[in-house]
């Protein structure tokens, strides 16, 4: 199977530009509920805009927090806004080893039974019995993008890097929404393995 994918990936050198997708490398970050923003930063506190993110309506906040696990801590972990209904921490496997936790690989929002973790802010701390995950790699697409690539929501595809360290990412889930902007999301461990950076281009290859 892998040999066949590699052979197909070589042919993609001659495919039209439409088949390439920009990369978005996702560093460790946290999504906070309104309740936990109040606990960590004070009652009624509002997150301050640092910069807009590629996905419409999403932003990196100026604020950061510390994560604490059984073996260590990580300071200055960026908060992404706006506030969510449930707090969620997204780390890489390297981060997890440093913290001493074993988060599952999950889609964003699927935190049932995930790793416990402590979040420390300037005004207080929050202990989550569950909430830390390693995010599954995925591709955001608009409905028009999905039509052009001939894929559908929740379909899984191969993604192939164009760098000198050619890597094939399998089981990449397509996420389709009218407001999504085309982007392949991976964490820092995956990006480093393939020497990928933000806005590098990758190929998409459908399963046969």
């Amino acid at each position: 199977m892998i040999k066949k994918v590699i052979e197909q990936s070589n042919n993609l050198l001659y495919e039209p530009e439409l088949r390439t997708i920009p990369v978005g490398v996702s560093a460790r970050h946290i999504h906070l509920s309104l309740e936990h923003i109040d606990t960590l930063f004070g009652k009624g506190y509002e997150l301050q805009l640092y910069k807009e993110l590629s996905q419409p309506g999403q932003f990196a906040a100026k604020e950061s927090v510390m994560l604490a696990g059984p073996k260590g801590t990580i300071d200055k972990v960026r908060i992404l806004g706006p506030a969510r209904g449930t707090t969620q921490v997204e780390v890489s496997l390297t981060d997890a080893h440093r913290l001493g936790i074993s988060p599952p690989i999950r889609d964003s929002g699927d935190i049932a039974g995930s790793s416990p973790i402590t979040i420390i802010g300037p005004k207080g701390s929050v202990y989550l019995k569950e909430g830390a995950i390693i995010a599954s790699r995925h591709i955001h697409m608009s409905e028009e993008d999905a039509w052009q690539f001939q894929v559908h929501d929740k379909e899984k595809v191969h993604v192939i890097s164009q760098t000198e360290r050619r890597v094939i990412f399998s089981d990449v889930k397509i996420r389709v929404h009218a407001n999504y902007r085309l982007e392949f999301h991976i964490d820092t461990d995956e990006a480093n393995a393939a020497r990928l950076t933000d806005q590098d281009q990758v190929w998409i290859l459908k399963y046969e």
Side-chain angles (χ1 to χ4, degrees):
M1 177 61 182
I2 294 298
K3 180 181 178 181
K4 186 175 182 179
V5 171
I6 293 172
E7 290 172 350
Q8 289 177 285
S9 73
N10 290 330
N11 292 333
L12 286 177
L13 288 167
Y14 309 101
E15 290 291 331
E17 189 67 21
L18 178 64
R19 295 191 66 93
T20 63
I21 295 175
V23 173
V25 180
S26 183
R28 68 180 80 98
H29 62 271
I30 182 169
H31 302 277
L32 291 174
S33 66
L34 285 173
E35 175 189 357
H36 290 159
I37 292 174
D38 285 349
T39 301
L40 296 168
F41 293 94
K43 187 69 174 178
Y45 189 89
E46 295 185 4
L47 297 175
Q48 303 299 303
L49 174 68
Y50 171 64
K51 67 176 180 178
E52 300 286 349
L53 299 180
S54 58
Q55 297 306 312
Q58 305 296 305
F59 66 91
K62 291 181 179 179
E63 296 81 3
S64 62
V65 294
M66 177 185 287
L67 300 180
K71 291 185 177 180
T73 61
I74 299 177
D75 199 8
K76 297 182 180 179
V77 177
R78 183 75 65 183
I79 300 169
L80 301 189
R84 289 194 176 185
T86 304
T87 294
Q88 174 179 294
V89 176
E90 297 183 34
V91 296
S92 69
L93 183 57
T94 298
D95 295 331
H97 289 325
R98 179 174 169 183
L99 293 165
I101 61 175
S102 300
I105 299 173
R106 296 278 184 83
D107 291 341
S108 181
D110 182 9
I111 62 170
S114 58
S115 289
I117 196 162
T118 299
I119 307 164
I120 303 169
K123 299 292 186 179
S125 63
V126 173
Y127 174 74
L128 299 179
K129 292 182 179 180
E130 57 185 20
I133 65 169
I134 297 172
S136 301
R137 48 185 177 251
H138 57 277
I139 300 172
H140 286 285
M141 286 189 179
S142 67
E143 294 167 342
E144 181 180 352
D145 292 327
W147 179 82
Q148 290 177 332
F149 280 91
Q150 294 296 293
V151 294
H152 57 79
D153 189 43
K154 298 182 181 178
E155 181 177 352
K156 290 186 177 181
V157 297
H158 300 292
V159 167
I160 303 157
S161 67
Q162 299 187 34
T163 62
E164 68 269 31
R165 296 192 73 179
R166 179 77 63 86
V167 172
I168 299 169
F169 298 96
S170 295
D171 297 322
V172 180
K173 184 179 287 187
I174 302 292
R175 295 185 185 174
V176 180
H177 190 280
N179 294 330
Y180 282 165
R181 184 172 297 165
L182 185 64
E183 198 167 49
F184 172 48
H185 280 191
I186 51 176
D187 68 23
T188 50
D189 282 355
E190 294 172 309
N192 289 338
R195 299 199 71 171
L196 286 168
T197 60
D198 283 335
Q199 298 307 305
D200 280 345
Q201 298 291 314
V202 293
W203 292 298
I204 182 174
L205 183 64
K206 292 189 65 171
Y207 285 1
E208 291 188 354

